[in-house]
Amino acid sequence: MADTARRPEHRYGNRPTMKDVAALAGVGLKTVSRVVNGEPGVTPDTERRVQEAIDTLGFRRNDSARVLRKGRTASVGLVLEDLADPFYGPLSRAVEEVARAHGALLINGSSAEDPEREQELALALCARRVDGLIVIPAGSDHRYLEPEIKAGVATVFVDRPAGRIDADVVLSDSFGGARAGVAHLIAHGHRRIGFVGDQPRIHTATERLRGYRAAMEEAGLVVDPAWESLGPTAPDRVREALSGMLSGPEPVTALLAGNNRVTVTAVRALAGRAHPVALVGFDDIELADLLGITVIAQDAAALGRTAAERLFRRLDGFDDAPARVVLETRLIPRGSGEIPPPSA
């Protein structure tokens, strides 16, 4: 009962301190500090009393204050496009695993593909003294990060390059992957091939469009402007684009979907058609193997891991010029991309 009476009144947001632990255990602050930090010089009986006080109060060591004294916060930030997008799950997990191996905490957030929100989130993480940032850009101007980088915040961009600054970036080969996907459709007899991608301000969307055009040109095929559509990946917009491509006297017989969200909508829109349309999706999607969807697969985990390893190399003092690392994609034939055109 006596110990209970000595406990400080609990208030939300009023966390117990080492001073509270010392008062409950009947020892000095230095003794509590030694126990908390695993230092020698404390008798077993005293250590037991301090540990009991820690357990009773729910005390947790303030790692932020401790590491700030050493000049590092042991935390890194990750700015994603959309935390709900399945593509970013393996990427985020890989970053977290590398951070954990280096004794650092990962803090992440979503820009929702909004450049202003990206800047607000990145600067908020810097204000919380993260040691480094990994950014999937939503915007095209990252000069706002120059003061932070000069102040020592290691920064690596992933999936898309930084805008108007020179910084490390880790990318998938969007151009080469799209070209390979379209070449695959051409090899199976298709000549009228459509492309539906993300918004034109997004680097990956324009690179995949460029790969699509390159494959068509290399095959000597003229692209009808009606076969190309860039814009938001909302299902209604994608369905409208597909409807236009699939109508008229000479509809497309095959499609390259520019990312996983477009692919999902395309699978639904194309289901049950009298004349099947061949489909290659950029990015693998859940159940694609069971549904027989041919894809251009990126290794999202490798993107995250490579970016995180480069970030920690910077934090360890690596001071070489910023690098552009491009990871290969992989064509996985599963059936939908091997459907021949109706006339074949």
Side-chain angles (χ1 to χ4, degrees), residues 123-326:
L123 292 179
L125 289 167
C126 290
R128 284 160 177 75
R129 300 287 300 272
V130 293
D131 298 320
L133 281 176
I134 294 176
V135 180
I136 297 173
S140 58
D141 188 347
H142 293 90
R143 288 176 295 176
Y144 71 86
L145 280 172
E146 284 182 333
E148 309 300 333
I149 294 171
K150 288 178 181 176
V153 179
T155 305
V156 177
F157 290 80
V158 65
D159 193 44
R160 309 163 188 172
R164 307 187 72 176
I165 65 171
D166 194 16
D168 288 317
V169 60
V170 181
L171 307 168
S172 289
D173 185 6
S174 286
F175 169 80
R179 183 171 64 176
V182 174
H184 184 74
L185 292 168
I186 293 169
H188 283 81
H190 294 278
R191 298 297 178 263
R192 300 193 303 274
I193 302 169
F195 173 78
V196 181
D198 211 328
Q199 302 186 68
R201 63 180 174 81
I202 297 174
H203 171 80
T204 50
T206 56
E207 281 295 284
R208 291 166 194 175
L209 174 62
R210 195 168 67 88
Y212 159 79
R213 289 174 174 172
M216 296 292 278
E217 183 179 352
E218 288 164 6
L221 300 175
V222 177
V223 176
D224 186 325
W227 299 348
E228 299 178 351
S229 179
L230 295 183
T233 56
D236 288 348
R237 202 285 300 183
V238 173
R239 285 180 180 275
E240 183 180 351
L242 289 173
S243 177
M245 293 179 188
L246 294 168
S247 60
E250 291 192 326
V252 298
T253 62
L255 175 72
L256 175 67
N259 65 24
N260 55 358
R261 286 163 293 192
V262 176
T263 302
V264 169
T265 301
V267 169
R268 290 173 173 156
L270 299 177
R273 289 182 60 86
H275 300 290
V277 175
L279 172 67
V280 173
F282 207 111
D283 294 338
D284 212 349
I285 61 172
E286 190 175 6
L287 301 182
D289 54 340
L290 295 178
L291 296 172
I293 302 170
T294 298
V295 299
I296 304 297
Q298 323 183 58
D299 191 336
L303 281 170
R305 183 170 54 253
T306 304
E309 288 171 348
R310 188 150 196 92
L311 184 77
F312 281 97
R313 284 185 69 195
R314 290 291 185 196
L315 290 173
D316 289 339
F318 181 72
D319 196 28
D320 206 349
R324 181 186 183 97
V325 180
V326 180

